[in-house]
Amino acid sequence: MHAVATYQYQTLQVSIAQAVLTVTLNRPHKKNAMSFEMMQELLAVASRIRKDKTLRAVIINGAGETFCAGIDLSDLNQPKNQAFALWELIKPCQSLFQRVCLVWREVPMPVIAVLEGHCIGAGLQLALACDMRISTLDCQLSIMEAKWGLVPDMGLTQSALGVVRADVLKELAMSARVIDATEAARLGLISHCSDAPFAYAQTLAAEFAARSPDAVLASKRIINAMHQQSAITLYQEKLWQIKLLLGRNRKLALKKAKQASTVFTSRQFR
């Protein structure tokens, strides 16, 4: 058995068949919401395959017929995790939240996300960092951070570049609207819709595996290079998140999510 599949994971299921690695987000009781432990385990898997020359593709999916419903807020709200999250936002290099998504752009094989159920917030940012996204027609997608008075800060400025038009991305990020996969495909968020998205992803992975692995890697590298952002752009995600967390309208956004009549104060920043 391949070494990466022999590790004991608490939040993931990892398997390999025909040189294709399948990583399953495995917290179905939480709709696969991303905990800190899941983020660390996803990074560990990515690290273990960075220099792997035998794997030909990666498929990321979710257990329980859903992909990922976003960050696990109950985990994030733990005092020790809040302090850790603040440090991740302050430090000058990529945060944990950015790395867990953007690392899949760096692994040397194509990465395919299989979307079902919900693909919300952190889940959508993870999916956008994959090379392709295959979805059921009824999957629900949203860049939902604005609903909580926040900004998407998990590498969206990098992963969405060249995938979605800027006006579309602004509309989705500003409105926090939930859309289905049919609309998402029309807007460019989804690569393909299918009644059997995992089987579709396996077929696609087999197509890639039939080609020269060096040619496949080169294609990924040069196309990603067409849409490369500077580190300063990624730091802007973190800087704005800190400002929003400290701002007065953040608490009102949380209140408004429960009480629609809540009114925001005037804009604080410029």
Side-chain angles (χ1 to χ4, degrees):
M1 182 180 289
H2 195 289
V4 73
T6 63
Y7 290 91
Q8 294 297 311
Y9 302 97
Q10 300 302 311
T11 68
L12 306 174
Q13 289 180 342
V14 178
S15 62
I16 297 174
Q18 298 177 324
V20 176
L21 174 71
T22 298
V23 180
T24 302
L25 310 182
N26 190 32
R27 303 183 77 220
H29 60 293
K30 288 274 193 174
K31 293 185 178 178
N32 300 321
M34 255 193 231
S35 63
F36 280 78
E37 185 175 31
M38 179 183 282
M39 286 187 270
Q40 296 288 2
E41 291 192 337
L42 282 168
L43 285 171
V45 171
S47 176
R48 288 163 187 157
I49 64 173
R50 269 182 184 272
K51 297 181 180 180
D52 195 301
K53 296 183 179 180
T54 64
L55 294 175
R56 306 299 293 274
V58 176
I59 297 173
I60 302 179
N61 68 342
E65 298 184 340
T66 200
F67 184 66
C68 175
I71 288 284
D72 185 342
L73 294 177
S74 64
D75 195 42
L76 180 62
N77 289 333
Q78 304 252 346
K80 66 174 183 179
N81 287 338
Q82 286 187 328
F84 178 76
L86 182 60
W87 163 243
E88 289 292 314
L89 289 173
I90 292 171
K91 70 181 187 181
C93 54
Q94 285 187 19
S95 69
L96 168 69
F97 310 104
Q98 291 171 331
R99 292 199 321 275
V100 74
C101 294
L102 297 181
V103 70
W104 302 102
R105 292 169 58 87
E106 302 304 322
V107 297
M109 67 283 291
V111 182
I112 307 166
V114 173
L115 310 182
E116 298 179 87
H118 294 86
C119 182
I120 304 294
L124 184 51
Q125 291 187 79
L126 172 61
L128 283 170
C130 297
D131 299 300
M132 298 98 197
R133 288 153 295 285
I134 318 299
S135 177
T136 56
L137 287 167
D138 59 354
C139 183
Q140 302 291 295
L141 303 94
S142 177
I143 303 173
M144 194 170 275
E145 283 76 6
K147 180 177 179 179
W148 313 114
L150 300 173
V151 68
D153 68 337
M154 298 181 71
L156 187 77
T157 55
Q158 181 67 71
S159 61
L161 189 64
V163 176
V164 189
R165 290 196 334 244
D167 59 332
V168 170
L169 194 61
K170 287 176 184 176
E171 181 178 336
L172 294 175
M174 292 174 182
S175 68
R177 184 186 308 130
V178 178
I179 61 175
D180 63 22
T182 302
E183 185 177 359
R186 180 178 63 80
L187 296 175
L189 286 166
I190 298 298
S191 311
H192 304 281
C193 288
S194 171
D195 292 333
F198 188 76
Y200 195 119
Q202 288 178 310
T203 299
L204 201 55
E207 283 188 55
F208 299 148
R211 304 301 174 201
S212 159
D214 293 311
V216 171
L217 169 62
S219 296
K220 175 168 178 168
R221 294 286 188 247
I222 65 169
I223 294 169
N224 280 352
M226 291 170 57
H227 306 288
Q228 197 72 40
Q229 287 281 21
S230 72
I232 294 174
T233 306
L234 284 173
Y235 191 72
Q236 283 288 321
E237 293 182 8
K238 303 204 297 178
L239 178 62
W240 272 105
Q241 197 72 295
I242 292 170
K243 291 167 74 171
L244 292 176
L245 284 167
L246 297 175
R248 53 178 176 255
N249 275 315
R250 156 70 170 156
K251 290 182 179 179
L252 291 173
L254 295 174
K255 185 177 178 182
K256 190 175 181 68
K258 298 179 180 178
Q259 186 178 331
S261 61
T262 302
V263 177
F264 290 109
T265 66
S266 59
R267 191 179 69 246
Q268 186 174 355
F269 304 110
R270 58 178 181 153

